[in-house]
Amino acid sequence: QVQLVESGGALVQPGESLRLSCKVSGSSYGDYVIGWFRQAPGKEREGLACVFTENNRTRSVDDRFRVSREVATGTFFLDIDHLKPEDTGVYVCGAFWITPYLSLDESKYDDWGQGTQVSVSS
């Protein structure tokens, strides 16, 4: 059974940095894409960054969002720099298993984690 489990969410002050983690387990797929998305209050879910395990290529909507992976543990990270109050929301990782490619279109993703809350406030 595939599982994606996020962690690392916190209450932080504007300007700080944060690292979120997404632990993937139970996958039998060879290569896939892991994407990070944000669900802000009252807004639609938006894609932030993704990484393709085949070649470690990444895509990000903003230089403040950097995605990376730790192959040995199957853990994927989202580093967020210079956090702003508008970054507040639930951060969710998703897995794109079937004929994957770098995309932040959430309709392409097959499995999702439960999310981790990030709150940015002074």
Side-chain angles (χ1 to χ4, degrees), residues 48-60:
L48 303 174
C50 56
V51 59
F52 193 4
T53 63
E54 179 184 62
N55 50 27
N56 286 325
R57 291 185 65 184
T58 62
R59 177 179 172 184
S60 175

Side-chain angles (χ1 to χ4, degrees), residues 3-7 21-26 36 72-76 93:
Q3 279 194 315
L4 290 81
V5 180
E6 302 92 338
S7 62
S21 300
C22 173
K23 179 73 167 70
V24 179
S25 61
W36 283 95
T73 62
T75 304
F76 296 78
C93 63

Side-chain angles (χ1 to χ4, degrees), residues 107-118:
S107 70
K108 303 295 184 184
Y109 286 72
D110 305 291
D111 287 291
W112 298 91
Q114 293 299 308
T116 185
Q117 176 71 43
V118 173

